Amino acid sequence: MELSELKQICENCRKCSLCETRTNVVFGVGDPHADIMFVGEAPGENEDLTGIPFVGRAGQLFDKYLIAVGLKREDVYIANTIKCRPPKNRDPNPEEQAACLDYLREQTRIINPKMIVCLGRISAYRIISPDFKITRDHGVFYERKGKILTAVYHPSALLRDPRKKDDMLADMMKIKEKADMLTGKK
Ligand code: URA
């Protein structure tokens, strides 16, 4: 399946009740052959309105970290563990998560990135391990099925607690360095 086909399927999805309240499905953006794929939690209001992930305050902060380490949005792929906004930004429930996770799996299979970077603990819990502790394990590299997995703080956590920003910059620098090594750019 091509990414555009999967996008169309997602845009017509009615597998869970979030389809009743969404304005747009937030499928994902970036290079369809990216080496690095970032995966956040769920779309917020601005993402629901635009159909683009990470365009609100947290997203704008995230963009600064990409630029700081020499990356652009167009160089990477950015998606979320679920593709529709939960009303009032409540946590997605397990049924909603489960309904959407197959889409993310297929999206990852098609893009086939060398590295998956979870943005925040919810994504890390889903993708890396239910035992993942973001304060303890952020920036650690794991290898699974030939891919590198890692997680960084969610940009919203940095807005709430700016003391985490130094760790975020250090993690993002390590991620860029690792990706350059994996792709033979270094
Ligand atoms: N937070 C997320 O986890 N994802 C978005 O797309 C926006 C905010």
Side-chain angles (χ1 to χ4, degrees), residues 26 39-48 52-59 73 78-82 89 119-120 123 154-156:
V26 182
V39 183
E41 182 183 345
E45 186 181 16
N46 294 294
E47 292 75 22
D48 174 66
I52 304 168
F54 285 98
V55 288
R57 262 184 86 214
R73 267 187 178 238
I78 307 175
N80 281 303
T81 58
I82 69 164
N89 293 353
L119 292 167
S123 167
H154 193 286
S156 304

Side-chain angles (χ1 to χ4, degrees), residues 4-174:
S4 56
E5 269 176 81
L6 182 65
K7 183 170 187 220
Q8 206 161 28
I9 293 171
C10 289
E11 282 168 351
N12 293 313
C13 179
R14 304 196 64 81
K15 283 205 284 186
C16 83
S17 63
L18 297 182
C19 70
E20 311 285 348
T21 48
R22 73 179 175 224
T23 313
N24 286 294
V25 170
V26 182
F27 179 71
V29 291
D31 178 1
H33 307 290
D35 294 317
I36 313 177
M37 181 170 177
F38 290 91
V39 183
E41 182 183 345
E45 186 181 16
N46 294 294
E47 292 75 22
D48 174 66
L49 291 173
T50 57
I52 304 168
F54 285 98
V55 288
R57 262 184 86 214
Q60 287 163 25
L61 179 58
F62 177 56
D63 284 346
K64 289 189 184 161
Y65 285 96
L66 287 177
I67 291 165
V69 300
L71 289 168
K72 293 191 290 293
R73 267 187 178 238
E74 308 84 81
D75 300 331
V76 300
Y77 197 89
I78 307 175
N80 281 303
T81 58
I82 69 164
K83 305 206 179 303
C84 297
R85 182 193 183 206
K88 299 193 181 127
N89 293 353
R90 65 163 170 73
D91 285 342
N93 66 39
E95 291 76 41
E96 292 157 356
Q97 293 266 6
C100 218
L101 206 60
D102 281 345
Y103 292 137
L104 182 66
R105 282 204 189 95
E106 184 62 12
Q107 197 170 16
T108 308
R109 195 191 61 74
I110 297 168
I111 295 167
N112 195 21
K114 294 194 165 47
M115 193 190 300
I116 300 174
V117 182
C118 301
L119 292 167
R121 70 182 174 87
I122 303 273
S123 167
Y125 172 92
R126 285 263 143 197
I127 294 171
I128 302 178
S129 158
D131 298 324
F132 198 90
K133 297 267 182 299
I134 194 76
T135 42
R136 183 190 65 193
D137 302 328
H138 68 86
V140 176
F141 293 117
Y142 303 87
E143 191 173 347
R144 195 183 300 155
K145 295 187 196 158
K147 291 197 192 310
I148 300 296
L149 309 181
T150 189
V152 296
Y153 285 117
H154 193 286
S156 304
L158 306 175
L159 290 173
R160 285 194 300 272
D161 181 2
R163 288 170 303 179
K164 295 188 164 78
K165 286 184 173 180
D166 287 350
D167 279 349
M168 176 68 167
L169 184 59
D171 289 348
M172 289 292 289
M173 287 166 71
K174 266 182 18 187

